[in-house]
Amino acid sequence: MPRAPNRNSPLVEPPPPPKTRGERIVPRERGGHIVPLAYRIEDAAAAIGISRSTLFEYIKDGRIPSRKIGASTVIRHQDLEAFLDAAPFSAATKDAQRSMR
């Protein structure tokens, strides 16, 4: 729907909706920062605190899914979160949880 013009600007049409299949995916904001939808290998490894070679092992083993976009290999943010969520808690965390009960 066009907006009403004011004295200083002509009638402005809103941009057309994006042409997508299904739900539109947008980056999430956390604390005022935009969270990327996907990371390249170096950034994904740094984000979860492992080396590039370890990350490639996890990709090869199927523990972390990856995708190819052109020549780049990328890992979705949600796949990194799922990998971390599935990882076991450390012994110190387990001990702390037991002491809180």
Side-chain angles (χ1 to χ4, degrees):
M1 172 182 289
R3 294 188 318 193
N6 64 30
R7 283 191 261 165
N8 299 326
S9 68
L11 182 64
V12 178
E13 295 274 337
K19 296 179 181 177
T20 61
R21 293 183 208 158
E23 186 177 330
R24 183 172 173 211
I25 299 172
V26 295
R28 294 176 285 183
E29 283 194 38
R30 288 196 182 152
H33 300 283
I34 294 177
V35 177
L37 293 175
Y39 301 92
R40 291 183 184 206
I41 294 297
E42 293 78 15
D43 297 327
I48 60 173
I50 61 174
S51 69
R52 290 177 73 244
S53 59
T54 299
L55 180 58
F56 278 118
E57 286 178 32
Y58 291 167
I59 291 169
K60 182 180 174 186
D61 295 344
R63 293 165 62 179
I64 298 178
S66 66
R67 291 166 168 71
K68 292 294 279 186
I69 299 177
S72 297
T73 300
V74 297
I75 299 172
R76 296 183 315 164
H77 178 85
Q78 66 190 48
D79 291 332
L80 287 178
E81 284 184 331
F83 172 77
L84 291 175
D85 289 343
F89 286 109
S90 68
T93 300
K94 289 178 184 177
D95 291 342
Q97 288 175 336
R98 277 192 290 270
S99 71
M100 293 172 60
R101 293 181 190 169

